[in-house]
């Protein structure tokens, strides 16, 4: 996917197109693009937050999980507890 196609998807998602948002989340997850997932999650996408938690867990990124916990994400808190118990 080209940068212009990504920009078009971001614009569509920003205008409320849920299909475009789903595609962005999927692509970001496949690429391991935590910045994109973080941006989408911070803009209110629970699906992006879930994908970000999954990726952060896979990478062992405790700082990202803590950031999500600090923002009130219960799933991130549960995941962080599981990782710190291991």
């Amino acid at each position: 996917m080209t940068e212009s196609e990504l920009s078009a998807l971001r614009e569509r998602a920003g205008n409320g197109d849920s299909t475009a948002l789903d595609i962005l989340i999927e692509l970001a997850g496949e690429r391991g693009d935590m910045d994109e997932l973080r941006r989408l999650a911070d803009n209110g996408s629970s699906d992006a937050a879930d994908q970000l938690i999954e990726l952060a867990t896979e990478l062992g990124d405790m700082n990202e999980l803590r950031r999500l916990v600090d923002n009130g994400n219960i799933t991130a808190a549960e995941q962080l507890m599981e990782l710190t118990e291991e």
Side-chain angles (χ1 to χ4, degrees):
M1 175 162 289
T2 66
E3 190 57 42
S4 67
E5 290 171 325
L6 274 174
S7 293
L9 273 175
R10 288 180 185 121
E11 184 176 336
R12 287 176 41 208
N15 289 327
D17 183 334
S18 62
T19 301
L21 178 60
D22 291 343
I23 293 169
L24 277 176
I25 293 167
E26 182 178 343
L27 290 171
E30 289 172 359
R31 292 190 323 256
D33 188 343
M34 291 184 72
D35 291 334
E36 182 86 43
L37 290 170
R38 188 179 301 117
R39 184 184 67 75
L40 295 169
D42 289 349
N43 284 329
S45 171
S46 61
D47 290 337
D50 290 343
Q51 186 67 43
L52 182 57
I53 291 166
E54 184 178 322
L55 184 57
T57 300
E58 288 173 10
L59 298 174
D61 190 337
M62 305 294 241
N63 289 331
E64 185 62 34
L65 291 171
R66 285 185 190 99
R67 187 190 75 80
L68 290 163
V69 170
D70 289 345
N71 288 333
N73 189 300
I74 306 261
T75 305
E78 292 168 351
Q79 194 63 45
L80 188 59
M81 280 181 33
E82 281 183 32
L83 287 174
T84 55
E85 289 175 354
E86 294 177 355

